Structure formats: C-alpha cells, structure tokens
Amino acid sequence: MKTEVKKITAESLREASELIRAGELVAFPTETVYGLGANAFDDDAVKRIFQTKGRPSDNPLIAHVHTDYDLKKLVDFDPPYAEKLRKAFLPGPLTMVYPSTNKVSPFVSAGGSTLAVRVPSHRGAQSFLKEVDLPVVAPSANRSKHVSPTSASHVLFDFDGQIPLILDGGRSEGGIESTVLDVTGEIPLILREGLITREMIASVTGKCEKYVRKEGEIARSPGMMYKHYAPACPAYLCESAEEGVALYRKLDQEGKNPYLMAGGVCLRELPPLRLLSLGDTPKEMAANLYEKLREGERVAGAVVAIRPKEQDGIMAGVMDRLTRACRS
Ligand code: TXA
Ligand code: MG
C-alpha cells in the first residue's frame, strides 16, 4: 500500500472521510500529537488499529469528536463538575472518561464499561472530524512503545506502507498527549498527566486527585502500566547535571556516541557537549520532548537525559514521559 501525505484541503478532507467510512485508517494532526484514526462504530477498523500499532488489546482507545457532536450519544452519566470542565477546557487537550452507552465497538473500551472522549482544538482535526461526522477513535500514531509523533514525517517513519493517508497539519504545538481524567466518580481523577494540569482542573472543580494504583488492583488506565515513548537507542535518566556529564564522558570514551538531553535550569549548567536541547520553559520542554527523542535515535548512540529541576504544572506530564522513555 502506498502511504500518501497530504496537506489539509477540502479535497484531502473528503478523501480522508471516505477512507474512514470505508473502514480504513487515516492519521491526522491534533494540538497534542498525531492520531491514527478509525471509525469508532466499525469493529474491523478498530481491530486494525491494534494490529497496525502492535498495541496490547487490553489498552482502550480515545473517541475523538467535533465541537457540535452530541455527547449523549456516547456517554451515560455526567456529573455536574464535568459540564464545568468542558466549558473551561474544551475544545482542548483534556480527555474525559465517562460511563459508556456501549454504542461504539466493544474493542474501543477493551472490554471495559467506560469510554474516553476528547474534543481536540486543532483546526485541522476539527475540520476532519466535522467532515467525517462520526466519533473517530485514535491512539497516538506511533508503533506501540515508540516515541509519539508530533509531525506527519514522524507518522510516515512508523507506518510507511501500512496506512493509505496521513493528513499533514504541521507540527503539533502541545507536544505531549492530552490529560486523561476519570469523571465517573464524585471527584475527578487524573489517569494521565498532560497540558491541562491538576491545578487547572482543581481551580474549576475544587478537588482533583492523581490516580495511584493500589497494590494488586487492575490499573484504571492500562496505558499507564507500559514502557512507552522509548527511542530506538539506549536512554538514561540522570538526577543532576553533574551525574549526566559524568555518564556522557564515560560513554563517550567507550565510543558510544552519547548526546545529552536537557532543558530549563539544567541547560544553563552544561559545558558545550553534543546536546539535544529541550528549551527553556516547561511549555517548550513539552513541545520539544518527542521531537528531540526522535532526533536522538537518529543521531546518537545513547541519550543521556538530565532530570529537569522544574517539577510543577505541565512538568509533571513531561517527567512522566521522560521517565518512561528512559526506563530500561
Ligand atoms: O493527546 C492524545 O490523547 C492523543 C491524541 C491523538 O488525541 N491520543 C492518545 O491516545 O494519546 P493513546 O491511545 O496513545 O493514549 C490513550 C490513553 C492510554 O493510556 C489509555 O490507557 C487511556 O488513554 N484510556 C483510553 N480509554 C480509557 C478508558 N476508557 N479508561 C481509562 N483510560 C483510558
Ligand atoms: Mg500513545
């Protein structure tokens, strides 16, 4: 199969919509990362997402809808605080997990009773979802466990020859995936950290907690259990600039072609070595992380990341990804 990459135009949107309705997969941009989309009502198309990505079948998918889509078609229960959250943050990088009406394919929820719904703010994503006018399930458009894609070329690298069309909407500005929030209980629970932070959610709902899996309990969000976001080369996470530079020098002497990855305050403490710079602010670090991990696997024999000192707000989401990328 030839994989075409097309800029978003009326014509490519029509083609994308026809492909989705025919049960094919189409990759499309969002403000967080690119998604690999399929018709949420089509069992075979949903199964093909799991096959194409090599994704474990127990890991549920997010349904993406346009801003005018009637949520009641998909979800059964809606606590009052959820309405406030939608008003405050949607469209945008917040995915909400509701009790499902079970109208979509059962493979979407991986056998569970909840459904994750996201309304992306990216203009191209909205145009695509309006054209299709169906819920489109979409995981990040990367091979399972690989680094998530923030550009059409990243998607092509992972799926060339396996999908018919990639809609190219430029670079994803956010750079890390949406916050996943369980809204099935009295208090919203963060299942995955992202650009909409716990502080932002609590400022609307009063309370918000980070879900912590208890010993022996089945994870509420299976995705949180897996090694993820990993570049093809070895990646190490060091606690300080000193430790990072020492490891870099050791690997360099061994001829391993290491690159240092750092951002924020740490960046300014470093001697001039081969560097993958994440930028200065937490927002920049989120936007650059996956791009730099993918650059790292292209140019480096090993990536030595230094733990950024900033830890609040969206750095919680950045650290979650960086830690998993470096988990051996
Ligand atoms: O920003 C994003 O969310 C991107 C773009 C494409 O929208 N999508 C994305 O999808 O990151 P994916 O499949 O790579 O990650 C979805 C995460 C997984 O950790 C999964 O376990 C969790 O959301 N999830 C999906 N449905 C769920 C559900 N019903 N209950 C709990 N967790 C769920
Ligand atoms: Mg993913």
Side-chain angles (χ1 to χ4, degrees), residues 7-78:
K7 290 258 175 319
I8 297 179
T9 61
E11 200 192 324
S12 65
L13 287 171
R14 229 179 358 260
E15 187 187 337
S17 168
E18 279 163 16
L19 285 166
I20 292 285
R21 287 179 169 273
E24 296 286 346
L25 309 186
V26 174
F28 63 99
T30 84
E31 71 279 20
T32 57
V33 301
Y34 275 64
L36 182 62
N39 177 357
F41 295 121
D42 183 333
D43 286 347
D44 289 336
V46 176
K47 277 198 266 183
R48 188 160 330 139
I49 286 193
F50 286 92
Q51 285 158 7
T52 306
K53 272 191 65 117
R55 181 182 178 101
S57 58
D58 68 349
N59 194 7
L61 300 173
I62 299 172
H64 296 65
V65 296
H66 61 70
T67 45
D68 299 328
Y69 195 85
D70 182 7
L71 199 62
K72 286 197 229 63
K73 289 185 190 163
L74 300 178
V75 311
D76 224 4
F77 162 81
D78 197 19

Side-chain angles (χ1 to χ4, degrees), residues 198-312:
R198 176 173 166 171
E199 294 82 358
M200 290 161 76
I201 294 165
S203 76
V204 172
T205 59
K207 279 188 182 159
C208 174
E209 285 176 10
K210 166 98 208 310
Y211 169 68
V212 186
R213 190 175 71 97
K214 295 189 192 82
E215 195 61 35
E217 186 187 24
I218 295 172
R220 288 248 199 146
S221 190
M224 69 194 294
M225 299 297 292
Y226 301 119
K227 177 182 162 81
H228 252 98
Y229 320 119
C233 64
Y236 307 92
L237 181 59
C238 295
E239 294 304 313
S240 67
E242 258 177 7
E243 196 189 309
V245 171
L247 178 59
Y248 174 100
R249 294 226 151 98
K250 179 174 168 287
L251 292 168
D252 200 28
Q253 269 171 9
E254 293 168 3
K256 301 263 172 66
N257 187 28
Y259 273 63
L260 270 182
M261 172 176 279
V265 191
C266 294
L267 199 56
R268 282 164 243 144
E269 295 172 3
L270 294 174
L273 302 169
R274 285 185 298 271
L275 197 63
L276 297 162
S277 165
L278 296 178
D280 243 356
T281 64
K283 234 180 159 168
E284 283 171 17
M285 288 189 252
N288 293 328
L289 179 66
Y290 291 147
E291 172 83 41
K292 290 293 166 183
L293 283 169
R294 281 184 181 253
E295 185 183 330
E297 67 181 8
R298 266 201 327 273
V299 300
V303 171
V304 179
I306 299 173
R307 183 184 291 281
K309 293 192 172 146
E310 303 79 354
Q311 296 292 329
D312 295 340

Side-chain angles (χ1 to χ4, degrees), residues 28-36 53 55 58-64 93 95 97-98 108-109 112-118 120 138-142 148 176-180 182 191-192 219-226 228-229 321 324:
F28 63 99
T30 84
E31 71 279 20
T32 57
V33 301
Y34 275 64
L36 182 62
K53 272 191 65 117
R55 181 182 178 101
D58 68 349
N59 194 7
L61 300 173
I62 299 172
H64 296 65
T95 295
V97 175
Y98 306 86
V108 173
S109 299
S113 59
T114 58
L115 179 67
V117 183
R118 160 152 151 73
S140 50
N142 53 279
S148 297
I176 59 171
E177 298 86 345
S178 62
T179 305
V180 178
D182 183 312
L191 303 180
R192 176 175 73 184
R220 288 248 199 146
S221 190
M224 69 194 294
M225 299 297 292
Y226 301 119
H228 252 98
Y229 320 119
R321 275 56 168 198
R324 288 170 198 237

